[in-house]
């Protein structure tokens, strides 16, 4: 007999031992196996209570779909693309089936029918009772292992490890939240375990997630209706697990490059003149700017009574098309807010009713209800005809020059449970599909934008969604946070949790949104400093205190201007993070536990994080701080501002002032940078600085920079991009750097003026060679004028700069003097 056969027997024995320890309870899908068949990559099991289908979606993931008889099912919203082609194997024993792909095995016990999952011989996850159904409640129960930690659930402020918590699965606004919240704008019915699996409850209905709160060793998902399926995904490492996760749920398309720039945003700009004046103020005060975001005053003079007009208020904005064009000429794109509510007092209500665009009541008429903004109906984004009506709004505004969309209140903020929507010709209630309303809305906007502007990447910022919303280019933010230190403190936790489950562009209203009676300079500066190292840089707030730095005192402006310019200088690095995210799902903000996956205590660290692989960031979230402690991973680390080197694997104390944010750089990092520009319209990489953080303890290192035209939505698919590859080798005598280029796109630089900046170079060198040719060595930086090749050593900072024209693959050699 084969080793595989004996391994299967050992797995079965361990599984049966696990089952013998479980306490069975409740009304469950206590089905008995009848027959099975293999259909392609799906195993179909027929039982006395219905059908069970397991489908391999890649070599590390199964969709598990229980289909009890006479049970209404809804489509999957979490799954993005068809299954990847993968090899499956099936073996049968008297008491179990073994369904296996390369990285995951499902062991299906026949009597009663239930499943456990293994990675090799390692137990990852086991159903306790499989599917349960009790009246209107349905869901799944799984056994938790000793010491297992659980991340997930989306936007919640509960600490990184969510085990021991029970919270609603119902997207809901939490206005003015601080440092605790169990229910927020963007819930995700999914977890990631310290056992290296992810589990998605692919159900859109109102429900709960119980992660060992009611029963310490039980994880339970429950809902009032919806699809009775889940997806289990495995990986050997966390980054690998995330890659397998987005292979199932979809990868994030590259955003337009301008999305990584600076935004002017507030609640709200009330007139065209105020909008124009604000943009000019950024330019006059030397603050880069790429977009201005218009809140609801663009279609109405008051907060209440106008939502749903979705046409310019010509009294306040008399020449909007001219305004948009004039701003565009200055490099500033216009982004408009839209909401899915059409007030009965709005100019579009009768059109919405006539075109059957609104969710219905049980009597078949538009379901009207009252909320803060007035009496309203809700656009039925699930219905094709209703969406066609809604899409026409976006199409008309796009033709006027609008560059991006801000979808607000999309939980929806008010959503009657008895509202009737049409989903693929089937009537469903608000409670059945509430949690995917924002998800479906984003899909409609994204697909419409790709149709009307096939050469441009959509920009879609939304407050709510579901597992897989990233595949529609969704850029989430963390909602109406309190303008306070308590509002700042949880922002790292929120972004990290969302990024682990696909939503890598989650960001906050910088400076805080809600409340605040007086301007807190420290809090504001600390929040915007942190914002340089979060996915989107967008100060936004109620306008009783200006959210834009250009409206504050000179000291505040002078402190923050270099930070905004640093954001623009880092565009090559940040854009490369976007590239990695689109390929593999790797978030831009990364948790500490990625560094040492065996140390589960690191899961709890929500005070600091990695920005990409090179930077380690610790936001300051308390007033009056003069020093900060940081936990350094193993290796060597540079303080970004001073180049002081610290040994890793220790806790250090850094002095800080109001001007400095704790930022460390990993030794061996390549960080490409450019001179800051006023707008990304002026961005190019013709002149590129490549910073290398050298240390004798790092014998070899490598890095990649991504470049394209910043707009082509099919750049990755069609290979219309360039990658720049950097490799370093260092010993006691010299440093060797290999530079190579691959790929091409229209308009790419054929030659770059490259300045390699080598940090921590301890002595000058007159032996600097590029492609074997010795470069002149200058005594001052002033001699290295534009267009000249040569080297210069900054003795005070121990930095060596080497400038030359880079066209083809080449080799840089720097030897000891």
């Amino acid at each position: 007999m084969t080793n595989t056969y004996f391994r299967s027997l050992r797995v079965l024995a361990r599984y049966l031992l696990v089952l013998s320890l479980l306490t069975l309870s409740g009304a469950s899908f206590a089905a008995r196996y009848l027959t099975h068949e293999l259909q392609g990559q799906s195993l179909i099991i027929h039982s006395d209570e219905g059908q069970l289908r397991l489908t391999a979606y890649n070599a590390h993931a199964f969709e598990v779909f229980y289909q009890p008889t006479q049970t209404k099912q809804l489509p999957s919203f979490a799954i993005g693309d068809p299954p990847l082609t993968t090899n499956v194997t099936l073996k049968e024993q008297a008491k179990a089936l073994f369904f296996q792909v390369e990285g995951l095995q499902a062991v299906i016990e026949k009597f009663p029918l239930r499943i456990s999952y293994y990675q090799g011989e390692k137990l990852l996850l086991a159903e306790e009772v499989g599917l349960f159904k009790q009246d209107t409640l349905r869901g799944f129960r799984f056994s938790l292992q000793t010491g297992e930690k659980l991340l997930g659930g989306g936007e919640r402020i509960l600490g990184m490890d969510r085990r021991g918590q029970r919270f609603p699965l119902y997207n809901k606004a939490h206005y003015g939240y601080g440092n605790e919240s169990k229910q927020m704008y963007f819930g995700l019915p999914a977890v990631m375990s310290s056992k290296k699996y992810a589990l998605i409850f692919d159900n859109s209905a109102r429900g709960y997630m119980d992660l060992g709160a009611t029963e310490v060793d039980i994880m339970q998902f429950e809902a009032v209706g919806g699809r009775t399926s889940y997806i289990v995904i495995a990986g050997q490492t966390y980054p690998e697990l995330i890659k397998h996760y987005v292979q199932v749920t979809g990868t994030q398309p590259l955003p337009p490059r301008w999305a990584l720039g600076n935004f002017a945003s507030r609640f709200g700009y009330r007139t065209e003149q105020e909008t124009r004046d604000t943009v000019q103020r950024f330019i006059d005060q030397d603050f880069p700017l790429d977009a201005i975001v218009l809140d609801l005053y663009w279609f109405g003079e008051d907060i209440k009574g106008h939502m749903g007009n979705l046409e310019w208020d010509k009294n306040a904005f008399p020449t909007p098309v001219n305004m948009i064009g004039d701003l565009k000429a200055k490099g500033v794109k216009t982004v408009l807010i839209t909401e899915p509510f059409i007030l009965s007092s709005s100019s579009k209500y009768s059109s919405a009713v006539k075109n059957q665009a609104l969710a219905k009541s049980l009597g078949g008429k538009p379901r009207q209800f009252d909320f803060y903004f007035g009496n309203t109906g809700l656009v039925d984004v699930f219905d094709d005809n209703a969406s066609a009506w809604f899409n026409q709004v976006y199409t008309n505004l796009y033709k006027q020059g609008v560059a991006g969309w801000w979808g607000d209140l999309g939980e929806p903020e008010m959503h009657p449970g008895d509202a009737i929507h049409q989903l693929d010709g089937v009537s469903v209630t608000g409670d059945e599909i509430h949690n995917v309303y924002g998800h479906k809305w984003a899909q409609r906007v994204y697909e419409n934008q790709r149709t009307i502007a096939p050469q441009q990447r959509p920009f879609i910022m939304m407050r709510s969604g579901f597992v897989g919303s990233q595949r529609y280019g969704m850029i989430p933010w963390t909602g109406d946070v309190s303008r306070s230190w308590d509002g700042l403190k949880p922002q790292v936790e929120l972004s990290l949790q969302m990024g682990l489950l696909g939503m890598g562009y989650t960001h906050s209203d910088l400076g805080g949104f809600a409340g605040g009676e007086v301007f807190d300079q420290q809090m504001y500066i600390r929040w915007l400093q942190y914002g340089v190292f979060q996915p989107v840089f967008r100060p936004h707030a109620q306008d009783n205190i200006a959210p834009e730095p250009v409206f504050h005192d000179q000291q505040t402006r002078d402190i923050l201007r270099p930070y905004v310019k640093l954001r623009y200088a880092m565009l090559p690095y940040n854009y490369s993070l976007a590239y990695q995210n689109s390929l593999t799902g790797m978030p831009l903000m990364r948790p500490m536990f990625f560094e040492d996956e065996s140390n589960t205590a690191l899961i709890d660290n929500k005070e600091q994080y990695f920005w990409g692989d090179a930077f380690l960031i610790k936001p300051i979230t308390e007033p009056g701080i003069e020093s900060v402690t940081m936990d350094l991973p193993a290796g060597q680390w540079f303080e970004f501002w001073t180049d002081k080197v610290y040994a890793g694997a220790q806790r250090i104390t850094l002095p800080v002032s109001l001007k400095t944010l704790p930022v460390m750089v990993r030794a061996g990092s390549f960080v490409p940078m450019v001179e800051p520009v006023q707008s990304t319209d002026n961005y190019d990489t013709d002149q590129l600085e490549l910073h290398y953080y050298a240390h004798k303890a790092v014998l070899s290192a490598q890095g990649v920079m991504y470049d394209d035209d910043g707009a082509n939505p099919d750049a990755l698919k069609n290979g219309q991009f360039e990658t720049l590859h950097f490799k370093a080798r260092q010993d006691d005598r010299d440093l060797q750097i290999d530079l190579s280029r691959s790929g091409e796109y229209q308009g790419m630089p054929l030659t770059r003026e490259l300045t390699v900046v080598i940090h921590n170079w301890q002595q000058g060198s007159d032996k600097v060679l590029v492609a074997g040719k010795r470069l002149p060595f200058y005594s001052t930086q002033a001699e290295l004028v534009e267009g000249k090749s040569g080297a210069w050593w900054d003795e005070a900072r121990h930095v060596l700069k080497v400038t030359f024209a880079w066209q083809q693959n080449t080799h840089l050699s720097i030897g000891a003097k």
Side-chain angles (χ1 to χ4, degrees), residues 16-84:
L16 294 177
L17 177 61
V18 169
L19 290 177
S20 69
L21 301 175
L22 299 177
T23 302
L24 304 181
S25 62
S28 69
F29 191 74
R32 294 178 63 82
Y33 163 91
L34 298 177
T35 62
H36 71 271
E37 56 188 300
L38 192 60
Q39 296 181 2
Q41 293 178 194
S42 293
L43 171 62
I44 311 298
I45 298 172
H46 303 279
S47 77
D48 59 353
E49 293 192 10
Q51 180 177 288
L52 168 61
R53 185 185 73 204
L54 284 79
T55 301
Y57 262 81
N58 59 38
H60 308 269
F62 291 126
E63 181 204 24
V64 182
F65 187 14
Y66 283 86
Q67 300 170 69
T69 55
Q70 298 184 337
T71 299
K72 180 182 179 181
Q73 297 289 346
L74 297 183
S76 169
F77 291 98
I79 294 172
D81 298 317
L84 297 177

Side-chain angles (χ1 to χ4, degrees), residues 99-389:
F99 187 48
Q100 186 168 352
V101 288
E102 177 187 340
L104 186 63
Q105 180 174 227
V107 180
I108 303 119
E109 186 191 13
K110 294 180 177 179
F111 312 105
L113 192 63
R114 55 185 149 190
I115 314 170
S116 63
Y117 302 92
Y118 288 83
Q119 191 178 65
E121 296 186 15
K122 171 187 168 186
L123 174 66
L124 296 179
L125 177 69
E127 294 180 348
E128 191 229 23
V129 295
L131 172 70
F132 65 82
K133 280 180 79 253
Q134 180 68 51
D135 297 329
T136 60
L137 204 62
R138 60 185 67 175
F140 299 95
R141 288 167 59 89
F142 302 90
S143 299
L144 292 171
Q145 300 184 53
T146 302
E148 182 175 359
K149 293 191 173 188
L150 298 172
L151 302 106
E155 289 178 356
R156 324 270 176 178
I157 306 169
L158 302 166
M160 291 296 287
D161 180 10
R162 270 83 192 270
R163 185 167 180 175
Q165 299 286 343
R166 176 179 169 85
F167 42 75
L169 293 175
Y170 191 82
N171 295 339
K172 184 179 181 181
H174 185 168
Y175 176 81
Y177 68 88
N179 59 6
E180 184 177 353
S181 182
K182 284 194 172 185
Q183 185 176 18
M184 292 179 64
Y185 306 84
F186 204 126
L188 291 173
V191 296
M192 177 179 288
S193 168
S194 59
K195 299 298 181 182
K196 308 286 177 58
Y197 69 82
L199 182 65
I200 301 166
F201 181 39
D202 194 2
N203 187 301
S204 58
R206 176 195 292 267
Y208 274 87
M209 180 187 293
D210 193 316
L211 305 181
T214 305
E215 300 170 73
V216 295
D217 58 352
I218 296 296
M219 172 168 53
Q220 179 170 302
F221 298 88
E222 60 195 68
V224 298
R227 187 177 179 86
T228 51
S229 74
Y230 64 85
I231 303 160
V232 60
I233 305 164
Q236 295 290 341
T237 66
Y238 292 112
E240 185 181 274
L241 177 56
I242 290 171
K243 181 178 180 180
H244 300 156
Y245 173 95
V246 298
Q247 285 176 345
V248 176
T249 63
T251 53
Q252 178 106 21
L254 271 173
R257 187 160 47 215
W258 61 262
L260 300 176
N262 181 26
F263 288 65
S265 185
R266 64 162 58 188
F267 179 37
Y269 303 110
R270 296 166 189 261
T271 67
E272 178 177 327
Q273 192 60 51
E274 183 183 16
T275 305
R276 290 175 178 271
D277 291 346
T278 298
V279 168
Q280 191 60 46
R281 196 175 184 107
F282 276 85
I283 295 170
D284 292 344
Q285 295 189 12
D286 192 25
F287 274 82
L289 184 66
D290 260 277
I292 188 162
V293 184
L294 300 187
D295 213 314
L296 49 75
Y297 295 112
W298 74 269
F299 55 71
E301 61 181 349
D302 301 313
I303 295 175
K304 298 182 180 181
H306 302 283
M307 190 172 288
N309 285 347
L310 297 175
E311 290 181 355
W312 294 96
D313 176 0
K314 290 298 185 68
N315 291 323
F317 293 85
T319 59
V321 175
N322 290 342
M323 179 193 75
I324 292 170
D326 292 344
L327 298 183
K328 184 178 180 181
K330 296 178 179 182
V332 178
K333 298 82 186 168
T334 301
V335 178
L336 295 186
I337 194 172
T338 60
E339 301 92 352
F341 297 98
I342 311 298
L343 267 58
S344 57
S345 58
S346 72
S347 61
K348 279 195 166 44
Y349 186 76
S350 60
S351 173
V353 172
K354 179 181 178 181
N355 287 278
Q356 303 286 308
L358 304 178
K360 302 295 192 298
S361 69
L362 293 171
K365 296 180 180 180
R367 177 65 164 90
Q368 291 181 248
F369 52 95
D370 295 325
F371 79 138
Y372 177 79
F373 297 94
N375 180 265
T376 194
L378 178 66
V379 176
D380 187 359
V381 296
F382 300 94
D383 181 77
D384 290 342
N385 293 326
S387 292
W389 176 88

Side-chain angles (χ1 to χ4, degrees), residues 552-569:
H552 291 295
D553 59 274
Q554 184 172 335
Q555 183 191 37
T556 299
R557 297 197 309 268
D558 289 348
I559 289 173
L560 290 175
R561 186 181 294 106
Y563 279 89
V564 177
K565 289 192 172 186
L566 175 61
R567 175 81 177 186
Y568 278 74

Side-chain angles (χ1 to χ4, degrees), residues 531-697:
V532 172
F533 301 94
Q534 71 161 19
V536 174
F537 191 90
R538 187 182 56 87
H540 179 71
Q542 295 168 338
D543 61 3
N544 59 308
I545 302 172
E548 310 93 337
V550 295
F551 288 101
H552 291 295
D553 59 274
Q554 184 172 335
Q555 183 191 37
T556 299
R557 297 197 309 268
D558 289 348
I559 289 173
L560 290 175
R561 186 181 294 106
Y563 279 89
V564 177
K565 289 192 172 186
L566 175 61
R567 175 81 177 186
Y568 278 74
M570 290 179 60
L571 273 170
Y573 178 84
N574 294 347
Y575 199 42
S576 300
L577 299 185
Y579 164 67
Q580 294 173 24
N581 174 263
S582 291
L583 288 185
T584 68
M586 190 69 161
L588 289 73
M589 291 175 63
R590 303 168 187 176
M592 293 294 293
F593 64 86
F594 276 19
E595 193 72 11
D596 182 0
E597 298 191 355
S598 64
N599 184 359
T600 58
L602 290 176
I603 288 176
D604 298 313
N605 191 322
K606 56 186 174 66
E607 310 301 326
Q608 58 187 57
Y609 65 94
F610 296 102
W611 178 245
D613 189 56
F615 292 92
L616 180 63
I617 313 296
K618 183 163 186 178
I620 294 176
T621 60
E622 299 280 353
I625 297 297
E626 296 181 353
S627 63
V628 169
T629 59
M630 290 188 75
D631 294 316
L632 298 183
Q636 302 293 320
W637 294 86
F638 291 71
E639 187 181 8
F640 178 69
W641 311 109
T642 66
D643 270 1
K644 183 177 179 180
V645 180
Y646 292 83
Q650 65 166 328
R651 176 170 291 179
I652 65 168
T653 300
L654 293 175
V656 294
S657 70
L658 189 58
K659 295 181 179 180
T660 55
L661 177 77
V663 178
M664 306 296 288
V665 188
R666 188 193 306 269
S669 293
F670 284 100
V671 180
M673 300 178 79
V674 293
E675 282 295 311
V677 289
Q678 179 60 39
S679 160
T680 57
D681 282 6
N682 309 119
Y683 173 84
D684 64 54
T685 59
D686 291 356
Q687 293 182 313
L688 185 67
E689 274 194 355
L690 179 62
H691 294 257
Y692 179 65
Y693 289 83
H695 196 282
K696 62 183 180 181

